[in-house]
Amino acid sequence: MAKSFLGFFLFCITLGLSHQASLLENDFYTAGVVEFQPSNLLSDNLDAYLEIIQSKNASSTDIIVFPKSTLNNMGNTSFVPNPEDQINPCLTDPNATYYEEFLVTLSCASRNASKYIVINLTEKQKCEDVPEDTRPCASNGLNVFNTNVVFDRQGVVVSRYRKVHLSGEANNNTYLPELSTFETDFGVTFGHFICFDILFYTPGHQLVDQGVTDFVYPAMWYSQLPFLTAVQFQQGWAYANDVNLLASETSRPSIGNSGSGIYHGRSGTLTSVMRQDSGERTIYVAQVPKYTRSRSLQKRVRRSTPEIKTRQVASSSSFYMKRDYLQNYESDLLQIDQGISGTINRTICQGSFCCNFDIAWRSLESTVQNGSYYSYRLGTYDGWRNEQQVDANYIRNCALFTCSGDSIDDCGTLLPTEGALQQPRVAFTRLVIEVTYPESREFLLIPDTLKDNLLPLEPNQFEWSQQKPHEDSYVHEVRFALKESQEVSNLLTFAIYGNYYDNECTFGVGTEEEQLACGYRSGSSGLTILGGWLTMPLVILVITWNRA
C-alpha cells in the first residue's frame, strides 16, 4: 500500500514538473482581466468573484486580475500576510480566526482553480508592526491601506502592494513607497501598481527601468476627456513603455468607471472594453506573448483593426466624463467650413514649449437633418495638472481635441446626442504632430488617441518616432502621425501626452548651477540645441511679422 502511494506521489510530482516545464517553454501565457460592477454587499461581490474564477471563460487562464475596490470596504478590513512568510490562508487559517473569511475563501479558490489570482482590498495593519513609522497612529491602533494581494496556484500569498499615490481615499500611504514584484511558474515576473499610480514614476515606470516587462493593474478609474479615459491611457502607457499590461476596471459607466484591457506593448490591444450605459461582471481573456531578454528583437503581434458592425458612439447620457482644465491651454479653433476640405500647418506655443501641427481633412456630407457635430481645437500646455488635494504630475502636451461648441469651455465634453444624430463632419486624411521635447531625469512621452466609441487608435494606424538628433543632445525629436494609408472620421483626441512627473532635472529648467548638477554640460552641443528650442517662439514671431 505504501509503495502504491509513493508511486502515485512521484507520478504527481513528475506530472507537475512536466506541466511547469511546458509553461516555461511556451512563448505566451493566458491572462484574464475582470470588468466588475460591485454591490454594497461583500458576500455578493465574493460570490461573483468565485463564479468568475470557476467559469468556463476563465478555464484556460494562468492569471486573473480583479479591479480596485470591488470586494470589501472599511467595515470589513482584513490583515494580509507578509509575502516573505509564504502563508497559505486556506491551509493555515481555514476557520478564518485571524484573516477575514473572504481572504481565506479566495486563497482556497486560487488553490482549487490552480491559478494566480490578483485581488485589491482594504487592508488593516497594526501600527506597532511598523515601529520605524513615527507618524501618528489612528485611535484604534491600525493603519488602513489600499492593497493588491496575489495568490499563487497553491493559494499562497506571494506578493502584496500598497498604493503609493492616493486620490481622495481615506487610506494611509506607506511610510516609504513600495516596489512589488512576483515571479510565476510560467517564467514571467510581474510588477504591480493601482489606478492613480499610473500617472507617476514610482512605482510603475520605475519598475520598467529595472527591467520588468509585465504588469497587473487593478483600477477604479474615473475617465477624463480628452486625454485620460481608461483604455486610451492604458494602451498609451503600455505602448510607450513597450510592456504587457493587464488592466482590470470597476464597471459603472454612469459615474465614469469602465475600461479593462490586455495590451502587448508596441503591438497594441489584445482585448479591451469600454462599457456604456450599464456595467457588467465579465472576464476578458487573451494569450499574451512573452518578452524575451532582447526586447529590441521582440516579435510583434500582427493585428488587424477590429471592425465595428454597428456604429457605437459615446454621449454624455451614456458615459459620465470628468473634464481636463483645458482653459489653461494655449489653443486655436480649427476652422472647418461645412462642405469644404482643407489643410493647415500651424505652430502653437505656450512659453518656450512649441507644437507643430500639419493637418488635412476632407468634408463629409451628412444625410441626417439636425445632426450634432464636434468642433476641433489645437492646443499646447506646459505646466502642472490642475488637480486639487492629490499628487500632481507635470505635463507637456500637444493635442488636437474635440469640443461641443466653438469656445474652449465647450471642450472636453461628450455630445448629448447619440446614434444617428451624432455625425462626423470631416475625415482626417493627414495628422502630424512634431515636437522637440527636453530631456528629463524621469519622463514618458505617450501617443494618446481616442475615437468616439471611447477606444484608441491601434499602432497599425499611426506612426511614432522619438529620437535624439545625436548622442550628446539633451532633447528628443518626436513625430506622431496618422499612417498615410489611414483616414479617420470619428476622432476625439490625437495628442502627445508628455508626462514629466515632478519635472526635476529637466533640460532647460532651473539655474545654470542646477543644470550642471543634473549632468547637463555647459557649452555642450546639448546646450546649443536648448538655445534653439527656447528661441523657437521668437523665430516664429519674426517670420509671421515679415510675412505680414
Side-chain angles (χ1 to χ4, degrees):
M1 185 73 174
K3 288 183 179 180
S4 176
F5 175 78
L6 180 60
F8 177 74
F9 178 70
L10 291 173
F11 170 76
C12 289
I13 290 178
T14 303
L15 187 65
L17 291 174
S18 175
H19 175 65
Q20 183 173 341
S22 65
L23 289 173
L24 287 170
E25 291 172 359
N26 288 343
D27 59 2
F28 68 90
Y29 60 92
T30 304
V33 294
V34 179
E35 175 91 1
F36 192 87
Q37 184 177 44
S39 74
N40 293 324
L41 294 175
L42 186 153
S43 58
D44 177 57
N45 295 329
L46 179 60
D47 287 345
Y49 272 38
L50 297 175
E51 184 177 345
I52 288 171
I53 292 169
Q54 297 160 6
S55 68
K56 182 179 179 180
N57 288 343
S59 61
S60 64
T61 58
D62 297 299
I63 182 169
I64 300 174
V65 184
F66 286 89
K68 170 181 178 281
S69 301
T70 56
L71 186 58
N72 69 327
N73 54 38
M74 289 291 187
N76 38 49
T77 56
S78 179
F79 292 114
V80 172
N82 186 331
E84 294 179 358
D85 297 332
Q86 290 290 289
I87 290 174
N88 188 325
C90 182
L91 300 182
T92 62
D93 192 16
N95 297 318
T97 56
Y98 184 71
Y99 303 110
E100 291 296 312
E101 184 176 355
F102 71 86
L103 187 77
V104 175
T105 299
L106 287 169
S107 169
C108 294
S110 181
R111 180 179 177 83
N112 292 335
S114 188
K115 300 180 187 302
Y116 289 85
I117 304 292
V118 182
I119 63 171
N120 176 274
L121 52 75
T122 307
E123 177 198 4
K124 62 183 176 183
Q125 178 200 44
K126 294 178 182 178
C127 294
E128 64 188 41
D129 290 343
V130 279
E132 67 275 12
D133 187 351
T134 57
R135 297 175 298 179
C137 182
S139 58
N140 62 2
L142 296 174
N143 288 318
V144 179
F145 299 107
N146 183 323
T147 303
N148 287 345
V149 178
V150 184
F151 302 100
D152 71 5
R153 295 187 196 270
Q154 301 303 315
V156 176
V157 173
V158 293
S159 189
R160 177 188 67 194
Y161 165 72
R162 293 161 174 164
K163 191 179 181 189
V164 173
H165 300 281
L166 301 181
S167 179
E169 305 159 67
N171 297 318
N172 294 77
N173 287 97
T174 55
Y175 179 57
L176 295 173
E178 295 183 342
L179 293 179
S180 297
T181 62
F182 60 96
E183 297 178 0
T184 62
D185 61 4
F186 47 91
V188 174
T189 296
F190 287 91
H192 47 143
F193 53 98
I194 302 168
C195 204
F196 193 48
D197 286 332
I198 200 171
L199 293 181
F200 303 93
Y201 180 74
T202 300
H205 193 173
Q206 186 173 354
L207 288 171
V208 174
D209 285 347
Q210 294 179 6
V212 178
T213 60
D214 293 70
F215 291 85
V216 295
Y217 175 59
M220 181 186 280
W221 187 264
Y222 290 85
S223 284
Q224 182 189 77
L225 284 173
F227 310 114
L228 296 176
T229 63
V231 169
Q232 168 189 21
F233 204 75
Q234 291 164 13
Q235 187 226 58
W237 191 90
Y239 180 94
N241 283 305
D242 197 9
V243 296
N244 289 326
L245 179 66
L246 316 183
S248 193
E249 167 69 10
T250 307
S251 193
R252 298 176 300 183
S254 62
I255 64 171
N257 299 144
S258 182
S260 301
I262 301 176
Y263 313 91
H264 180 51
R266 295 296 169 103
S267 295
T269 307
L270 300 177
T271 183
S272 68
V273 62
M274 282 290 285
R275 292 288 302 177
Q276 297 177 31
D277 294 329
S278 61
E280 64 179 0
R281 293 175 171 181
T282 305
I283 186 169
Y284 291 84
V285 177
Q287 289 186 347
V288 186
K290 295 177 183 178
Y291 279 96
T292 59
R293 286 179 180 267
S294 179
R295 294 177 55 181
S296 60
L297 300 178
Q298 175 69 16
K299 183 179 179 181
R300 305 297 182 204
V301 177
R302 296 193 171 208
R303 297 184 70 259
S304 58
T305 305
E307 293 183 6
I308 300 175
K309 294 181 180 179
T310 58
R311 177 170 155 75
Q312 180 187 27
V313 297
S315 70
S316 57
S317 61
S318 67
F319 202 108
Y320 172 77
M321 282 287 176
K322 294 174 66 179
R323 177 182 178 274
D324 201 352
Y325 299 87
L326 297 170
Q327 63 273 16
N328 296 333
Y329 280 59
E330 189 71 31
S331 69
D332 284 345
L333 181 67
L334 190 62
Q335 294 290 344
I336 297 176
D337 297 321
Q338 185 67 37
I340 301 176
S341 300
T343 63
I344 190 171
N345 194 314
R346 183 172 298 174
T347 299
I348 300 178
C349 301
Q350 186 169 76
S352 59
F353 178 62
C354 297
C355 311
N356 185 73
F357 301 90
D358 182 12
I359 301 173
W361 63 89
R362 67 177 182 86
S363 177
L364 297 176
E365 295 295 332
S366 173
T367 59
V368 177
Q369 291 185 345
N370 301 318
S372 186
Y373 307 94
Y374 285 108
S375 59
Y376 288 90
R377 274 188 175 266
L378 305 176
T380 300
Y381 182 66
D382 182 350
W384 293 95
R385 285 192 69 239
N386 194 10
E387 292 285 348
Q388 304 299 316
Q389 299 179 335
V390 297
D391 293 347
N393 58 306
Y394 195 97
I395 55 177
R396 291 180 172 87
N397 288 355
C398 301
L400 166 79
F401 51 85
T402 53
C403 312
S404 57
D406 290 343
S407 167
I408 189 65
D409 295 329
D410 299 322
C411 302
T413 60
L414 292 172
L415 290 172
T417 58
E418 54 189 308
L421 289 177
Q422 192 180 130
Q423 294 292 319
R425 182 181 293 180
V426 297
F428 290 100
T429 56
R430 184 171 70 249
L431 282 170
V432 182
I433 303 177
E434 293 180 321
V435 196
T436 299
Y437 273 99
E439 192 162 284
S440 190
R441 182 182 65 182
E442 299 160 359
F443 73 118
L444 185 66
L445 306 180
I446 301 172
D448 192 316
T449 66
L450 188 67
K451 300 177 295 184
D452 62 9
N453 61 0
L454 301 185
L455 295 175
L457 297 174
E458 289 298 326
N460 59 7
Q461 296 176 279
F462 61 77
E463 298 172 345
W464 172 270
S465 66
Q466 176 184 340
Q467 58 189 0
K468 293 184 177 184
H470 46 83
E471 187 177 348
D472 295 332
S473 66
Y474 298 131
V475 296
H476 292 242
E477 294 178 345
V478 178
R479 184 180 186 273
F480 181 35
L482 191 68
K483 276 195 174 177
E484 289 187 8
S485 60
Q486 293 292 317
E487 181 180 286
V488 59
S489 62
N490 57 342
L491 195 64
L492 298 187
T493 305
F494 192 85
I496 303 173
Y497 192 95
N499 197 347
Y500 279 74
Y501 304 120
D502 56 17
N503 204 37
E504 291 184 9
C505 277
T506 297
F507 181 51
V509 176
T511 65
E512 184 175 352
E513 289 77 12
E514 289 170 333
Q515 288 284 289
L516 290 172
C518 289
Y520 302 126
R521 299 184 301 279
S522 178
S524 71
S525 57
L527 195 57
T528 303
I529 292 172
L530 173 63
W533 173 64
L534 290 175
T535 58
M536 189 184 295
L538 179 60
V539 172
I540 293 165
L541 288 174
V542 170
I543 292 172
T544 305
W545 182 80
N546 286 335
R547 286 179 177 174

